[in-house]
Amino acid sequence: MHRPAPATAPRTRLARVLACAAVPVMLVAVGCSSDSGGDEKKKDSGSSSSAATPSGKQSSSPSVAPAKYAKLPDPCKALAEKTIDDLVPKAKSKSGTAGKSTDVASQGTCSWNGLEDKGVKGSQYRWLDVSFKRYGSDAAIGSGDQRAAKEYARLLAATKATDGAKNVKATPVSGIGDEATAVSYDLHKTDEDFKYAVIVARTANAVVVLDYNGAGYQGADAPDAGDLMKDAQGAAKEAVASVVTANGAKQ
């Protein structure tokens, strides 16, 4: 005789449904449905990851100090006429000879030369050259001061390594810009012995190089190296000061 199935199973399923309905939604999702629980865990995991991710704001570019000097002086007017008269007697052109430059705001040079005839005592030849370089600030490559400092070091090394130079001496000098070095050496050329006094200096984002040299012709003695260097330092200080004046700053 066939007996009906016990009513226990339906009642049990109903009890479970009612029990789940009484539990908070989050617990239902986790404890009452194993299939949906896996999906929810994945969603929760994804949202947590998103929350931990930065908002996507890009960090601002590193800033550099603005360049102190925005322009350079006219190289041929950087030194006073009296300075030219004293250092280069009988100069061919007291106004100087300007070097070619495609950007006078960033670099420029000027030179003077002359031969003073002293009769039976021979002749004295002098050459004076002043050059300027200015560097702007750039976040990608550094501040104007940093760039000028690198050029200062490069030019100083190049001066000390002048081809054919003998008795090279380099001495730091104070009172000329932010940093300066005096370089002296001897160089034989055009069958004469030349004495050189070179000042490499930096003032903020500008580099100044003053080259003063000379020789004795027709039996004249070579110029005194000490006097030559003293004059070169005085002229270099004047050239550096011209950079400050060109930018409207006080000494």
Side-chain angles (χ1 to χ4, degrees):
M1 180 177 184
H2 178 71
R3 298 178 63 183
T8 305
R11 290 178 181 175
T12 302
R13 285 197 295 272
L14 177 60
R16 287 189 59 193
V17 172
L18 293 176
C20 285
V23 178
V25 176
M26 289 297 294
L27 292 182
V28 172
V30 175
C32 299
S33 175
S34 59
D35 292 338
S36 62
D39 292 338
E40 287 297 320
K41 287 181 180 180
K42 290 179 182 179
K43 292 179 181 179
D44 288 345
S45 176
S47 62
S48 297
S49 176
S50 298
T53 302
S55 60
K57 290 184 179 179
Q58 295 182 348
S59 58
S60 58
S61 300
S63 60
V64 294
K68 183 176 182 179
Y69 301 124
K71 57 184 178 179
L72 293 174
D74 179 339
C76 291
K77 295 180 180 179
L79 302 177
E81 289 186 12
K82 184 180 184 307
T83 300
I84 303 302
D85 288 339
D86 291 343
L87 273 59
V88 191
K90 305 298 181 181
K92 291 181 179 180
S93 173
K94 290 186 178 182
S95 60
T97 302
K100 294 182 179 180
S101 175
T102 56
D103 185 1
V104 295
S106 296
Q107 61 181 6
T109 65
C110 191
S111 62
W112 299 260
N113 69 89
L115 182 66
E116 183 181 22
D117 187 354
K118 291 181 177 279
V120 295
K121 294 183 179 180
S123 301
Q124 287 291 331
Y125 176 80
R126 295 292 184 274
W127 171 282
L128 176 64
D129 180 277
V130 62
S131 67
F132 298 88
K133 283 190 175 184
R134 184 190 65 83
Y135 293 87
S137 293
D138 189 316
I141 54 181
S143 69
D145 283 26
Q146 292 172 329
R147 297 176 66 197
K150 289 181 180 179
E151 178 64 4
Y152 166 83
R154 187 190 72 80
L155 290 173
L156 179 57
T159 300
K160 293 190 289 185
T162 297
D163 188 31
K166 296 180 179 180
N167 304 317
V168 180
K169 295 180 181 178
T171 308
V173 181
S174 60
I176 304 178
D178 294 314
E179 56 183 333
T181 301
V183 183
S184 63
Y185 58 87
D186 302 332
L187 186 65
H188 186 79
K189 63 179 185 179
T190 62
D191 295 327
E192 300 295 340
D193 293 320
F194 278 72
K195 298 287 185 180
Y196 278 76
V198 182
I199 308 298
V200 183
R202 180 185 68 83
T203 174
N205 58 308
V207 180
V208 180
V209 178
L210 187 129
D211 183 339
Y212 185 42
N213 62 79
Y217 280 85
Q218 299 173 332
D221 293 334
D224 181 81
D227 291 341
L228 210 65
M229 182 57 75
K230 181 179 179 180
D231 289 339
Q233 290 188 28
K237 185 177 294 186
E238 191 175 330
V240 168
S242 72
V243 176
V244 181
T245 302
N247 286 272
K250 294 182 180 180
Q251 297 292 324

